[in-house]
Amino acid sequence: MSVVSSDLQLWLEGVDVRYGDVKAVSGAAFGLHKGEIGCLLGPSGCGKSTLLRAIAGFETVAGGSIAMAGKVISSPTLQLDAQERNIGMVFQDIALFPHLTVEQNIAFGLNRWPTSDQQARVQVLLDLIGLSGFETRYPNSLSGGQQQRVALARALAPKPAVLLMDEPFSGLDATLKETLVPDVRDILLKEGITALVVTHDQQEAFSIADKVALMNQGCIEQFSTPYEIYHKPETRFAADFIGQGYFIPATVLNSRQINTDLGVLDLPQESGFTPEFTVDLLVRPDDVLHDDDSPFEGEITKKFFKGTFFQYQVALANGRRLWCIASSHHNHEVGQRIGIRLDLDHFVLFPC
């Protein structure tokens, strides 16, 4: 069996997955260290679930390789059986056994363990997921969040080397997600498990993952921390997909200044573009602030109350529309004119 660098628990190098003549995944490459939580993030149909299935052993690899702890488990000439990979799975539909108790569901994959070890492991996991005392309950008596915790505990019970989770929170309401996703991250960290989660929800990805692989049309556009992907997107797709980003045109004045609809901006470092060159500046709603003292004004065309703040869409004199954040105490009506200013810490420019 081939051997690669063993300092990574999971390593993908140039992975291709095909369905006939269609390349569903192309050149996927990234790695996760032991205990790291990764995420495959992207829109529907981008190939993230296909890539997850290839790692699990349910899809064959047409090119490149997948390795765990230094040993190749998938390549065009090698396909280790799924049951031999020491990989746990949590599926979108949870799929608990309705005729088994919570305790029996969690112990399902421990049939080869001694009974005393099974009982000890189940109790450790029940304590970990906060369901101690629920041993004899059946899945239909549990809430959605409790069922998801049991499914996670069942997958963790055999102590897999890698845990794969395919849209595990998609069936839960937004309020439950807010508490469950960080809780699941804490559980994974306490177990020291290397995990890879598939989702199309960027807030979910940012809440659970140490590293994010952003996918688009079968390719990984960027692999880095949530912070880096948000503040330093490497491609237009990454900039547009993450954080409700949009672009406004700007003209390069010199290596450290650009001119925009909201004035001249000083760059923290050289832009790399020549004077008079036209670029697109990435702007997000929290980069445009309501400021009564600003010389630049816009007319409010839409407003959304977010609780702690208002989000306004404002139209500039030239017709360009921007999104703006304002304190919840600044309650303005559609049609009013307000002062706005750019407040950028990170300048991301793309050539037009």
Side-chain angles (χ1 to χ4, degrees):
M1 187 174 289
S2 301
V3 178
V4 297
S5 176
S6 59
D7 63 340
L8 292 168
Q9 185 73 359
L10 178 66
W11 171 246
L12 281 69
E13 185 172 13
V15 173
D16 297 335
V17 181
R18 291 181 177 272
Y19 295 126
D21 294 331
V22 177
K23 187 177 284 189
V25 175
S26 180
F30 66 88
L32 293 173
H33 291 90
K34 183 173 176 57
E36 273 193 316
I37 302 171
C39 180
L40 299 176
L41 172 66
S44 297
C46 70
K48 52 190 185 294
S49 289
T50 298
L51 185 56
L52 196 80
R53 289 175 56 82
I55 296 168
F58 302 145
E59 302 287 353
T60 58
V61 168
S65 63
I66 302 171
M68 286 175 53
K71 294 184 178 181
V72 174
I73 59 174
S74 286
S75 74
T77 58
L78 184 152
Q79 177 77 2
L80 192 67
D81 289 342
Q83 63 268 24
E84 297 178 14
R85 298 188 175 208
N86 193 21
I87 287 176
M89 288 286 298
V90 177
F91 297 99
Q92 181 175 343
D93 59 2
I94 302 179
L96 294 176
F97 300 108
H99 62 289
L100 299 181
T101 65
V102 167
E103 182 178 35
Q104 291 168 334
N105 264 284
I106 295 174
F108 182 79
L110 305 178
N111 57 307
R112 295 183 181 181
W113 289 34
T115 301
S116 59
D117 291 346
Q118 289 187 38
Q119 293 172 341
R121 179 62 173 157
V122 169
Q123 193 56 56
V124 166
L125 289 169
L126 283 168
D127 291 341
L128 188 65
I129 65 174
L131 291 179
S132 183
F134 285 66
E135 291 86 344
T136 60
R137 298 271 291 271
Y138 286 88
N140 64 2
S141 70
L142 304 178
S143 68
Q146 290 169 337
Q147 290 182 26
Q148 193 61 267
R149 290 170 185 267
V150 174
L152 176 62
R154 183 179 63 183
L156 290 174
K159 299 184 178 180
V162 172
L163 179 68
L164 305 179
M165 307 176 72
D166 192 2
E167 297 275 9
F169 311 108
S170 62
L172 305 177
D173 63 63
T175 302
L176 181 55
K177 275 188 187 184
E178 287 184 4
T179 56
L180 185 59
V181 174
D183 286 349
V184 169
R185 173 176 169 81
D186 289 342
I187 290 168
L188 296 174
L189 292 176
K190 288 175 182 176
E191 277 284 290
I193 192 78
T194 304
L196 185 63
V197 182
V198 163
T199 184
H200 62 275
D201 184 330
Q202 61 183 269
Q203 295 304 319
E204 187 178 302
F206 287 5
S207 296
I208 200 169
D210 300 304
K211 299 283 182 62
V212 174
L214 178 61
M215 295 190 67
N216 178 35
Q217 297 183 339
C219 299
I220 294 178
E221 294 266 338
Q222 187 171 346
F223 177 71
S224 57
T225 65
Y227 181 91
E228 289 285 322
I229 285 183
Y230 185 88
H231 288 295
K232 300 177 183 179
E234 296 174 357
T235 66
R236 279 183 176 268
F237 173 81
D240 186 52
F241 184 80
I242 298 296
Q244 296 180 304
Y246 57 95
F247 302 98
I248 63 172
T251 302
V252 176
L253 299 179
N254 54 60
S255 63
R256 299 291 291 269
Q257 287 185 316
I258 56 174
N259 189 25
T260 74
D261 290 337
L262 298 182
V264 175
L265 304 178
D266 296 321
L267 307 180
Q269 58 190 26
E270 293 189 0
S271 68
F273 297 105
T274 57
E276 304 303 321
F277 197 85
T278 301
V279 296
D280 281 336
L281 172 68
L282 172 64
V283 175
R284 294 197 172 94
D286 54 326
D287 294 327
V288 185
L289 303 182
H290 170 34
D291 184 353
D292 289 327
D293 296 325
S294 173
F296 302 98
E297 288 188 341
E299 180 182 330
I300 297 174
T301 55
K302 294 181 181 179
K303 65 178 289 189
F304 299 96
F305 182 57
K306 301 290 187 176
T308 57
F309 63 91
F310 279 100
Q311 186 171 342
Y312 295 116
Q313 184 188 71
V314 295
L316 304 182
N318 62 7
R320 196 177 316 284
R321 295 170 186 262
L322 306 177
W323 288 100
C324 164
I325 296 295
S327 164
S328 63
H329 302 295
H330 292 266
N331 184 11
H332 299 286
E333 299 302 324
V334 171
Q336 280 188 256
R337 297 187 64 80
I338 60 172
I340 57 174
R341 64 178 172 85
L342 285 174
D343 184 30
L344 289 162
D345 287 327
H346 298 83
F347 290 80
V348 179
L349 304 174
F350 291 97
C352 290

